[in-house]
Amino acid sequence: MAEMTKDEKTYDSYLVDQDWGSYSDEDHDTWSRLFERQSKLLPGRVCEEYLEGLKLLGIDGEGIPNFEEMSARLRKQTGWEVVAVPGLVPSRPFFDMLSDKKFPAGNFIRKPHELDYLEEPDIFHDVFGHVPLLTNPAYASYMHAYGQAGDAAMENKGVKFLARLNWYTIEFGLIMNDGVPKIYGAGIVSSYGETKYALDDASPHYVHFDLERVLKTGYYIDDFQATYFVIDSFEKLFEEAVETPFLPLYQKLREEQDYTPFELLPSDNVIRKGSGEYWKDFPQTKEKLK
């Protein structure tokens, strides 16, 4: 399939001005409260690549970052930039943004009473959770290639499988750092509750990342995870998940039965078998898996 030209890109209508000057004192205070809370919790739990990115970009607790200033630093590292959007972006423009090394971040921040949970990702989730790792060349290359895979997935009924890959890596992935599982997924990094649960609670399974296993595993969006997939490195993730031909996989996977996130398979390389205590009722209550 021919690559779309720049003029044919679908995302221009979704881009907005961050309008940094319009944030209220309450907005900046909310960012600061979220930042300080996570900053105390993450050391020892999050991967070193994330902490390095946070420092390189100058993201701190002084208030909501200015996208222009942050993007200037990010472009020097990997060629990426952060662009403002008003909310969730549909699949095709989202893929096209990533293909052009533009990471879409919501320009709004949650209200003070929503510190612990927000249904739609806000600027704290998008910037604090996602952007620091875009300074890492291997991770940035993975995100770029993920975006490039999007058009073919849409044309070949593969978006569901790419969504699962996103969920279990970009959003809720773990990585081995010095032989110990650490957090890198933005959905964990930006969540006070899931940061503690993912590494401190005995409930979740840890399974070594396997591409087909991940693409066949459904997920739910409204609670902590039953299973986390653990990668060895961002370089290895790129090799396993990007250099594999996806189109033959889509046809194969559509003909096979999906897995739930609650089960362990005989073929799994299990790093830790969880107790399942936290999610023991989920097989009955989480009926609509994606």
Side-chain angles (χ1 to χ4, degrees), residues 209-250:
F209 179 88
D210 176 84
L211 180 60
E212 286 199 33
R213 168 70 156 99
V214 166
L215 296 183
K216 292 177 67 175
T217 304
Y219 62 89
Y220 49 90
I221 64 173
D222 59 350
D223 218 317
F224 300 153
Q225 306 305 299
T227 295
Y228 296 101
F229 292 94
V230 186
I231 64 173
D232 293 321
S233 68
F234 294 126
E235 291 81 5
K236 191 72 178 297
L237 175 64
F238 183 89
E239 293 173 7
E240 295 178 357
V242 175
E243 296 185 353
T244 299
F246 273 81
L247 295 188
L249 269 182
Y250 295 149

Side-chain angles (χ1 to χ4, degrees), residues 110-257:
R110 68 195 72 183
K111 298 301 181 184
H113 67 275
E114 299 173 311
L115 293 188
D116 290 328
Y117 179 74
L118 189 69
E119 186 171 338
E120 184 175 353
D122 69 342
I123 195 171
F124 186 76
H125 169 86
D126 287 339
V127 172
F128 184 86
H130 285 284
V131 175
L133 278 177
L134 287 172
T135 63
N136 179 274
Y139 183 86
S141 294
Y142 172 69
M143 289 287 286
H144 183 225
Y146 181 88
Q148 291 179 315
D151 283 333
M154 295 197 72
E155 298 297 330
N156 292 275
K157 300 180 181 179
V159 172
K160 174 178 75 173
F161 303 114
L162 275 193
R164 291 172 177 175
L165 181 60
N166 174 77
W167 189 261
Y168 286 117
T169 59
I170 296 166
E171 291 292 351
F172 291 96
L174 300 183
I175 184 172
M176 297 300 289
N177 266 185
D178 297 324
V180 179
K182 297 288 182 70
I183 298 161
Y184 77 90
I188 315 175
V189 170
S190 62
S191 167
Y192 184 76
E194 191 137 8
T195 294
K196 294 191 293 183
Y197 166 83
L199 295 184
D200 299 351
D201 196 297
S203 295
H205 302 312
Y206 295 170
V207 176
H208 192 273
F209 179 88
D210 176 84
L211 180 60
E212 286 199 33
R213 168 70 156 99
V214 166
L215 296 183
K216 292 177 67 175
T217 304
Y219 62 89
Y220 49 90
I221 64 173
D222 59 350
D223 218 317
F224 300 153
Q225 306 305 299
T227 295
Y228 296 101
F229 292 94
V230 186
I231 64 173
D232 293 321
S233 68
F234 294 126
E235 291 81 5
K236 191 72 178 297
L237 175 64
F238 183 89
E239 293 173 7
E240 295 178 357
V242 175
E243 296 185 353
T244 299
F246 273 81
L247 295 188
L249 269 182
Y250 295 149
Q251 176 64 33
K252 175 177 181 289
L253 296 176
R254 284 197 297 272
E255 297 171 355
E256 297 179 353
Q257 184 174 354

